[in-house]
Amino acid sequence: MVNHVQLIVSGRVQMVRFRVFVLKTAQNLGISGTVQNLPDGTVRVEAWGDRSKLQFLLDSVWKGSTLSRVDNVAEVWDNKEYIESDIEDFRIIH
């Protein structure tokens, strides 16, 4: 079963290579999805995969990249289908 989690990450998470950190972590785990900066200064992560791998991603997001500071991670878990049928890997949305 493919699980889905949406994360909204707040803190110092833009302009600190946070999206690249999430991208590399997700790719190493074989998770599909996206990461993008939002206008309010937060970062949204949409990820699909095995629940244990998604949990590892969540734990990693809380730690953050070297220059980031994660203050909060709002998470929503569900069995949502892929938003776009062509998301077969993990990518940054610019």
Side-chain angles (χ1 to χ4, degrees), residues 6-81:
Q6 176 180 273
L7 309 173
I8 303 294
V9 187
S10 59
R12 189 176 63 233
V13 291
Q14 291 191 11
M15 306 297 289
V16 291
R17 300 192 49 79
F18 185 78
R19 290 179 301 162
V20 172
F21 166 79
V22 173
L23 173 73
K24 289 181 179 182
T25 302
Q27 287 176 334
N28 288 336
L29 292 168
I31 293 172
S32 299
T34 60
V35 60
Q36 73 180 115
N37 287 342
L38 297 179
D40 65 359
T42 62
V43 171
R44 178 175 40 223
V45 178
E46 292 272 351
W48 289 266
D50 177 75
R51 185 163 181 105
S52 62
K53 291 180 179 181
L54 294 176
Q55 184 62 54
F56 188 90
L57 177 67
L58 172 61
D59 294 343
S60 298
V61 163
W62 268 107
K63 294 175 187 171
S65 63
T66 304
L67 300 173
S68 68
R69 184 195 72 246
V70 175
D71 294 335
N72 190 52
V73 180
E75 57 186 275
V76 176
W77 292 84
D78 59 32
N79 295 324
K80 181 178 176 182
E81 296 293 326

